[in-house]
């Protein structure tokens, strides 16, 4: 039994205790047998990725927190998916008028940087994309 399995199980138990649900209730919500769920909490067995994702979605916890114990986001902060989709839109809007157009690899790097800055700073992706695009634009005109 690995440490990671123990830690995931411990955090699953923490979430379950916060809800006041029994192991049987959580197992039923997840579509598992009581025994299977119990082995996850005890760290005797590793839950499948689909089970972990379903647990995170139902109980509104971040995957990185459940898996690694990293800081859990507040419930009112955007999820990674909404943050990522907002970042894609912001980066696209900022770069669509670039001549010459960014290569897919450049766009990917731009996206990754803006996403990480928005996530780290709890900032709006549009603001971060504008800042970074302005820096890129200024460096291009100075060449």
């Amino acid at each position: 039994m690995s440490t990671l399995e123990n830690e995931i199980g411990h955090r699953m138990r923490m979430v379950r205790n916060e809800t006041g649900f029994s192991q049987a209730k959580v197992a039923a919500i997840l579509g598992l047998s009581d025994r299977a769920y119990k082995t996850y909490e005890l760290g005797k067995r590793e839950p499948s990725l689909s089970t972990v994702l379903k647990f995170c979605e139902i109980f509104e916890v971040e995957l990185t927190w459940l898996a690694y114990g990293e800081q859990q986001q507040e419930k009112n902060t955007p999820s990674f998916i909404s943050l990522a989709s907002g970042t894609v839109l912001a980066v696209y809007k900022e770069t669509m008028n670039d001549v010459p157009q960014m290569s897919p690899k450049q766009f990917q790097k731009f996206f990754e940087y803006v996403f990480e800055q928005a996530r780290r700073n709890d900032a709006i992706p549009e603001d971060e994309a504008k800042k970074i695009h302005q820096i890129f634009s200024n460096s291009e005109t100075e060449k």
Side-chain angles (χ1 to χ4, degrees):
M1 128 175 94
S2 79
T3 303
L4 183 60
E5 290 165 355
N6 285 336
E7 292 172 4
I8 291 172
H10 174 73
R11 285 187 282 279
M12 290 174 88
R13 184 173 47 254
M14 286 173 47
V15 171
R16 180 181 59 78
N17 287 336
E18 286 176 12
T19 66
F21 292 161
S22 67
Q23 286 180 333
K25 173 120 178 152
V26 173
I29 291 169
L30 296 174
L32 303 169
S33 70
D34 297 357
R35 184 175 179 176
Y37 181 76
K38 188 175 192 171
T39 62
Y40 299 153
E41 278 196 9
L42 293 173
K44 293 182 177 180
R45 197 167 141 216
E46 183 178 342
S48 67
L49 180 58
S50 62
T51 298
V52 169
L53 292 173
K54 189 172 183 179
F55 185 92
C56 290
E57 182 180 345
I58 291 170
F59 294 101
E60 298 180 347
V61 295
E62 291 293 326
L63 177 60
T64 53
W65 175 79
L66 186 63
Y68 303 109
E70 293 180 3
Q71 182 72 24
Q72 185 171 354
Q73 290 184 329
E74 296 296 320
K75 290 192 190 271
N76 62 353
T77 58
S79 70
F80 278 121
I81 293 171
S82 63
L83 180 59
S85 65
T87 303
V88 167
L89 183 60
V91 170
Y92 178 76
K93 284 179 181 178
E94 280 301 314
T95 61
M96 66 186 225
N97 293 322
D98 282 353
V99 177
Q101 290 287 324
M102 287 184 167
S103 72
K105 191 70 173 170
Q106 289 170 320
F107 186 87
Q108 179 186 12
K109 290 291 186 189
F110 191 167
F111 169 84
E112 289 172 355
Y113 188 79
V114 170
F115 180 83
E116 185 60 25
Q117 291 303 307
R119 187 182 71 79
R120 268 195 195 147
N121 301 328
D122 195 23
I124 298 169
E126 290 86 356
D127 294 344
E128 293 299 317
K130 286 178 184 174
K131 285 183 211 174
I132 303 308
H133 190 248
Q134 185 65 40
I135 291 168
F136 288 148
S137 297
N138 289 343
S139 67
E140 288 296 316
T141 57
E142 292 172 3
K143 287 184 180 178

